């Protein structure tokens, strides 16, 4: 079956990265924004996976409520294509801070606070922490809700996870990426993830791994590469 994805996010950087990662696999990705859907459900889960599923389910519900989108992405009688509404819940887990900011990464110190301020505050807190105790990882859970093909079909759902290990550096460096990338140091590259080129980051990142695992799972369940 032909596979297509609707990416449920309000974060334009995630849309850009997911498109870059999926280009080449022939799977079209539509963002909720370009479909005219805006969903920002409360992230009440206690894990990345739960929150990713909350976002995917909320967006899938909105797609099914819009007659034009339902007809386009979940036509009752068409079994030649399958639409996965996918969502990413991600964040930075710092061991020396007991896993913070974790699932609170976007909300940490408030949405209005810039990432430069958030990173500066964390660097201050960790001033005396030696390198061997500065371990951290980016985590991305990618959840999928498969839109039903018929009234009786309840739609499958599942989630996968990707991680990228590194450590908190001592300064803010680099112009690429977004969020916490400029102080996330990758010892084997001698650079922060904001100093990697986009294709280098996508090759090793939590999101790259998560989206590739999700793509493999979709192809395994629903068909061949398009
Ligand atoms: P949506 O919920 O609409 O997808 P969001 O930005 O609110 O967008 P999250 O709740 O998943 O997304 O928060 C993820 C935060 O984790 C993100 O805003 C960054 O602060 C951080 N983060 C995740 N992936 C990152 C990456 O690749 N590089 C740097 N920071 C990242």
């Amino acid at each position: 079956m032909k596979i297509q994805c609707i990416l449920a996010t309000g974060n334009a950087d995630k849309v850009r990265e997911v498109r870059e990662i999926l280009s080449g696999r022939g799977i079209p990705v539509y963002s909720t924004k370009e479909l005219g859907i805006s969903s920002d459900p409360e992230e009440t889960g206690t894990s990345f996976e739960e929150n990713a599923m909350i976002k995917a389910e909320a967006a899938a519900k909105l797609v099914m409520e819009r007659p034009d989108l339902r007809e386009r992405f979940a036509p009752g009688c068409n079994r030649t294509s399958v639409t996965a509404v996918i969502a990413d819940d991600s964040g930075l887990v710092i061991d020396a801070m007991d896993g913070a900011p974790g699932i609170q990464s976007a909300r940490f110190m408030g949405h209005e606070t810039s990432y430069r301020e958030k990173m500066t505050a964390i660097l201050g807190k960790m001033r005396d922490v030696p390198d061997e105790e500065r371990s951290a990882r980016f985590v991305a859970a990618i959840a999928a809700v498969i839109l039903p093909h018929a009234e009786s079909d309840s739609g499958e759902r599942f989630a996968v996870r990707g991680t990228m290990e590194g450590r908190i550096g001592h300064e803010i460096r680099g112009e690429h990426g977004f969020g916490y990338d400029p102080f996330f140091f990758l010892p084997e590259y001698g650079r922060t993830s904001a100093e990697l080129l986009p294709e280098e980051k996508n090759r090793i990142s939590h999101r790259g791994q998560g989206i590739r695992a999700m793509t493999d799972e979709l192809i395994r369940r629903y068909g061949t590469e398009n």
Side-chain angles (χ1 to χ4, degrees), residues 26-48:
I27 296 180
V29 181
Y30 305 94
S31 72
T32 38
K33 188 171 176 206
E34 68 198 14
L35 297 178
I37 296 173
S38 155
S39 78
D40 189 16
E42 216 183 318
E43 296 176 28
T44 52
T46 57
S47 67
F48 290 107

Side-chain angles (χ1 to χ4, degrees), residues 7-22 29-32 40 43 48 51-52 55-56 86-92 102-103 105-107 111 115 138-143 177-179 181 201-202 205-208 211:
L7 177 60
T9 184
N11 181 328
D13 292 302
K14 288 187 184 176
V15 177
R16 176 179 51 74
E17 288 195 356
V18 170
R19 284 229 167 95
E20 286 165 1
I21 296 160
L22 275 181
V29 181
Y30 305 94
S31 72
T32 38
D40 189 16
E43 296 176 28
F48 290 107
N51 283 336
K55 294 185 220 182
I86 60 173
D88 161 309
D89 195 66
S90 47
L92 177 64
I103 59 171
S105 291
R107 287 156 278 172
H111 267 294
Y115 278 94
F138 274 121
V139 176
I142 313 292
F178 66 101
D181 278 323
K201 179 183 170 191
N202 291 338
S205 78
H206 51 310
R207 186 162 300 102
I211 290 292

Side-chain angles (χ1 to χ4, degrees), residues 79-115:
R79 290 199 162 263
T80 61
S81 72
V82 63
T83 301
V85 178
I86 60 173
D88 161 309
D89 195 66
S90 47
L92 177 64
V93 174
I94 303 176
D95 293 327
M97 288 173 57
D98 294 324
I103 59 171
Q104 303 288 344
S105 291
R107 287 156 278 172
F108 179 70
M109 290 176 65
H111 267 294
E112 279 67 45
T113 308
S114 72
Y115 278 94

